[in-house]
């Protein structure tokens, strides 16, 4: 296998996710299966971590985000989320959940508000996070669209190179979007545009710092959910 490429077998067996995540293929069709990949590397302080978790939680309680879900053809989406840092450090904090009413949206929000941080923080293995997201989507409810949403405050600096992982996702029909937090790296945006985002309708949203994260993730979720197409 040539350097910089990824085999299908490697994607399917990475991290042994199949052994820990139950298949939900019997679930109803959703407009969007969304993986939220949340950077928890060294550069993310404890205060910044809590700003991210609060931002995600409050976004799912927001009437505009919920309204975008209810306007979809199937009026429901599926969401899963994990923390990531080093190549071998991905922590699933939200197994696949279907959001189809205010009660289920509140349940998602509470999962973010209560999510503990893995103390084994490390470097920024963005490529490995994308691979983990690909594998996680292999256990998602049937969906019209599949998206990996990468939020990060740093350039990839460890593990699998990000572009081949991104390309593997695109080849599988998955869109990879990103939210870049510029607090530590003011010139992060071009890196994410070049190496991370890809696929149908892929886009990047910028937060100037972690205090701006809540606004940015709300905007991003509305755009991702509203891009869902009818079938």
């Amino acid at each position: 296998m040539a350097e910089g490429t990824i085999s299908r077998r490697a994607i399917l067996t990475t991290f042994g996710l199949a052994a820990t995540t139950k298949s939900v293929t019997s679930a109803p069709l959703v407009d969007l299966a969304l993986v939220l990949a949340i950077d928890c590397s060294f550069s993310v302080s404890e205060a910044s971590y809590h700003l991210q978790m609060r931002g995600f939680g409050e976004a799912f309680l927001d009437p505009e985000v919920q309204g975008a879900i209810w306007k979809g053809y199937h009026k429901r989406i599926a969401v899963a989320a994990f923390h990531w840092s080093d190549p071998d450090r991905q922590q699933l904090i939200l197994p696949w959940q279907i959001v189809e009413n205010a009660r289920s949206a509140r349940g998602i929000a509470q999962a973010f508000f209560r999510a503990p941080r893995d103390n084994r923080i490390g470097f920024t293995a963005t490529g490995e996070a994308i691979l983990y997201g690909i594998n996680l989507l292999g256990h998602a409810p049937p969906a019209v669209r599949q998206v990996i949403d990468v939020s990060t405050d740093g350039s990839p600096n460890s593990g699998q190179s990000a572009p081949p992982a991104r390309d593997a996702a695109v080849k599988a029909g998955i869109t990879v979007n990103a939210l870049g937090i510029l607090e530590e790296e003011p010139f992060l945006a071009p890196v994410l545009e070049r190496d991370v985002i890809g696929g149908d309708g892929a886009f990047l949203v910028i937060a100037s710092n972690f205090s701006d994260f809540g606004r940015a993730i709300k905007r991003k979720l509305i755009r991702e959910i509203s891009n869902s197409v009818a079938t």
Side-chain angles (χ1 to χ4, degrees):
M1 182 172 60
E3 184 178 358
T5 63
I6 304 171
S7 71
R8 177 174 174 81
R9 180 180 179 184
I11 294 171
L12 295 177
T13 59
T14 299
F15 317 115
L17 186 62
T20 60
T21 306
K22 293 182 179 179
S23 174
V24 285
T25 53
S26 60
L29 184 67
V30 298
D31 292 306
L32 173 68
L34 177 64
V35 172
L36 300 171
I38 306 162
D39 183 355
C40 286
S41 57
F42 282 122
S43 57
V44 180
S45 69
E46 194 65 19
S48 297
Y49 166 76
H50 288 294
L51 285 171
Q52 286 188 99
M53 293 300 99
R54 188 176 74 190
F56 278 112
E58 290 178 349
F60 280 96
L61 295 176
D62 188 89
E64 289 185 73
V65 174
Q66 292 184 12
I69 298 171
W70 316 153
K71 289 177 183 176
Y73 186 80
H74 299 284
K75 304 185 187 306
R76 54 182 173 260
I77 67 170
V79 181
F82 68 96
H83 294 159
W84 58 274
S85 58
D86 272 344
D88 61 347
R89 292 179 180 171
Q90 296 84 27
Q91 180 185 18
L92 187 66
I93 62 167
L94 180 70
W96 284 110
Q97 301 290 327
I98 292 178
V99 186
E100 57 188 348
N101 52 39
R103 180 179 179 180
S104 53
R106 287 194 299 270
I108 298 289
Q110 289 302 315
F112 284 109
F113 292 147
R114 297 171 181 170
R117 182 175 186 173
D118 186 349
N119 290 326
R120 303 172 303 149
I121 56 178
F123 293 103
T124 309
T126 314
E128 307 286 353
I130 294 172
L131 290 181
Y132 188 91
I134 294 171
N135 206 351
L136 193 56
L137 281 165
H139 303 271
V144 177
R145 296 177 61 244
Q146 293 188 326
V147 171
I148 299 172
D149 180 331
V150 178
S151 59
T152 182
D153 74 332
S155 301
N157 60 22
S158 183
Q160 167 68 51
S161 176
R166 182 268 320 279
D167 294 345
V170 173
K171 187 175 181 179
I174 299 165
T175 297
V176 183
N177 297 326
L179 190 159
I181 307 156
L182 306 188
E183 189 165 309
E184 293 289 328
E185 293 188 32
F187 304 106
L188 177 61
V191 176
L192 298 179
E193 289 178 334
R194 182 189 68 226
D195 295 344
V196 175
I197 70 170
D200 186 26
F203 65 94
L204 169 68
V205 168
I206 292 299
S208 57
N209 51 46
F210 280 98
S211 295
D212 189 38
F213 183 86
R215 176 205 61 82
I217 195 60
K218 173 186 168 182
R219 173 187 169 197
K220 190 164 188 286
L221 287 173
I222 291 171
R223 183 170 173 182
E224 283 168 334
I225 294 164
S226 298
N227 279 349
S228 297
V229 296
T231 187

